[in-house]
Amino acid sequence: MAKTKRIIITILLRLLAFGATLSATVVMVTSHESAKVMNIKFSAKFSNSPTFKFYVTAEAIATGYGLIVLFLSSRRSVDRLIMILDVVIALILTSSISAALAVAQIGKKGDSHAGWLPVCNQVPKFCDHVTGALIAGFVAAIAYLVLNLYSLHVFLTPLFPV
Amino acid sequence: MALQSGEKLPMFIGHVWSKQKSRWTLLGLRLLAFLAAAAATLVMVLNKQTKTFVVATIGTTPVNLTLTAKFHHTPAFVFFAIANGLVSIHNLVMIMVDLLGSKFDYKGFQLPMIASLDMLNLALVSGGANAAAFMAELGKNGNSHARWDKICDKFGAYCDRGAGALIASFLALALMLVISFLSILNLKLVNSSSHNSHNNIIALPN
């Protein structure tokens, strides 16, 4: 009974993380908008910024990993390897989301000291799209963190009544 | 290793830990990580450059504009400084716990707490270092699509010092990764002695 409960919670967390990373990738890749400001065509795509390209790559790797592990999660022989890889993927996810958040914040508020104007006034739909992708990425990072702590707890509490 | 019902199985034996050689390796790594993170914090917090530009000339007198680049103008760098500060404090506290903590009774929670806290601080320092790295890349190359000019050609010393802080922080990140894995491995070493008793215990009546 306790073993089934553990398996269910783990699979639910992995499904949540997989869904979040998948939606973050897809929403970020499909975000583009063009605006015409005083006869100059101003087009915003995710590939304009190396940070967002890194974000898409990291989330895509996490999605592929999540898909593979969903099919393998109950095998005992790869248990320890999966625990280690979970930590690595959580690390990649937190770095990509924090980097993308830093650049997105500059895009929204600008940086008056460096003379950088905010771009969200010209391309508001692009900004909303990117915000959605970032929220999904944030949920994925937190889900992987909770998954790591839960795996640690499962590892440390063998199944017998204390 | 059959137990009577009602007897508790000790999960974590505290003093097995203190006699192993890996303890000194871990301590040395923690000291290095503390130094690297503290250096990153200090270099970033003290990073400042002032420069005077001539923007116009009225008659024969030039009009000067003085600009200062400080780390707290950029929120990513503030996060970087805070994250590295927290990680250096964490490593300092862990060193003290290792050297002086054998007098306290942690009721078996010491090793899992150390492993969890190491994982959380790993995520923290990774987030801080990467946010600052991409912000520094933006400052170095600019972004032509968003009409953002690069600033490193005007404030060269600020950029160089920021790069130094970033390198120290990535070094701390690599060290925290190794420390985290060593802490989790320490859990495994102590806990594997109770794995063999699994089969005996499940057969006992509840």
Side-chain angles (χ1 to χ4, degrees), chain B residues 21 45 52 55 82 91 100 106 112 119 133 139 142 167 170 197 206:
Chain B
K21 205 169 163 193
V45 166
T52 313
V55 286
I82 293 178
N91 279 320
L100 308 169
Y106 295 100
M119 280 203 309
I167 292 175
F170 275 107
S197 54
N206 200 344

Side-chain angles (χ1 to χ4, degrees), chain A residues 40 42 48 50-51 54 84 87 91 94-95 98-99 102 105-107 113-114 116-117 119 148-149 152 155-156 158 160, chain B residues 9 11-12 73 75-76 112 116 119 122-123 126-127 130-131 134-135 137 143 145-149 177 181 191 198 201:
Chain A
I40 313 171
F42 191 65
N48 288 345
T51 314
F54 171 61
I84 294 179
V87 172
L91 205 59
T94 53
S95 4
S98 54
Q105 204 257 356
I106 294 270
H113 296 101
W116 292 341
L117 300 171
V119 272
N148 276 330
L149 291 176
L152 198 61
F155 173 67
L156 296 175
F160 60 89
Chain B
L9 183 74
M11 299 249 214
F12 302 108
H73 291 335
S116 318
M119 280 203 309
L122 182 60
S126 152
N130 277 286
F134 276 101
M135 196 52 70
E137 191 268 341
N143 193 333
H145 298 100
R147 313 274 191 277
W148 290 338
D149 291 330
L177 194 60
F181 282 162
N191 199 25
H198 242 65
I201 297 299

Side-chain angles (χ1 to χ4, degrees), chain A residues 21-150:
Chain A
T21 49
L22 186 64
S23 54
T25 322
V26 168
V27 169
M28 184 62 96
V29 166
T30 57
S31 66
H32 58 85
E33 189 185 345
S34 340
K36 239 169 142 54
V37 175
M38 294 182 293
N39 244 9
I40 313 171
K41 210 157 183 329
F42 191 65
S43 87
K45 286 191 299 248
F46 83 96
S47 50
N48 288 345
S49 166
T51 314
F52 290 154
K53 282 194 281 198
F54 171 61
Y55 182 72
V56 165
T57 317
E59 299 282 338
I61 290 176
T63 311
Y65 169 79
L67 190 61
I68 294 177
V69 166
L70 269 179
F71 295 130
L72 285 180
S73 61
S74 42
R75 293 240 208 109
R76 192 165 159 96
S77 53
V78 289
D79 245 359
R80 307 288 171 248
L81 181 65
I82 287 181
M83 265 183 73
I84 294 179
L85 285 179
D86 269 342
V87 172
V88 172
I89 294 281
L91 205 59
I92 295 178
L93 281 181
T94 53
S95 4
S96 67
I97 186 67
S98 54
L101 270 173
V103 170
Q105 204 257 356
I106 294 270
K108 196 168 178 69
K109 301 262 178 67
D111 189 349
S112 54
H113 296 101
W116 292 341
L117 300 171
V119 272
C120 272
N121 304 326
Q122 277 93 26
V123 280
K125 278 200 315 194
F126 174 73
C127 274
D128 289 341
H129 228 103
V130 167
T131 310
L134 290 180
I135 291 176
F138 203 61
V139 167
I142 292 186
Y144 262 104
L145 216 54
V146 172
L147 183 66
N148 276 330
L149 291 176
Y150 189 71

Side-chain angles (χ1 to χ4, degrees), chain A residues 152 156-157, chain B residues 8-15 17 101 104-116 186-187 190-191:
Chain A
L152 198 61
L156 296 175
T157 328
Chain B
K8 282 196 185 184
L9 183 74
M11 299 249 214
F12 302 108
I13 309 161
H15 19 271
W17 175 212
F104 300 102
D105 175 27
Y106 295 100
K107 299 190 177 24
F109 277 126
Q110 182 179 12
L111 293 181
M113 268 321 271
I114 292 181
S116 318
N186 277 327
L187 279 176
V190 175
N191 199 25

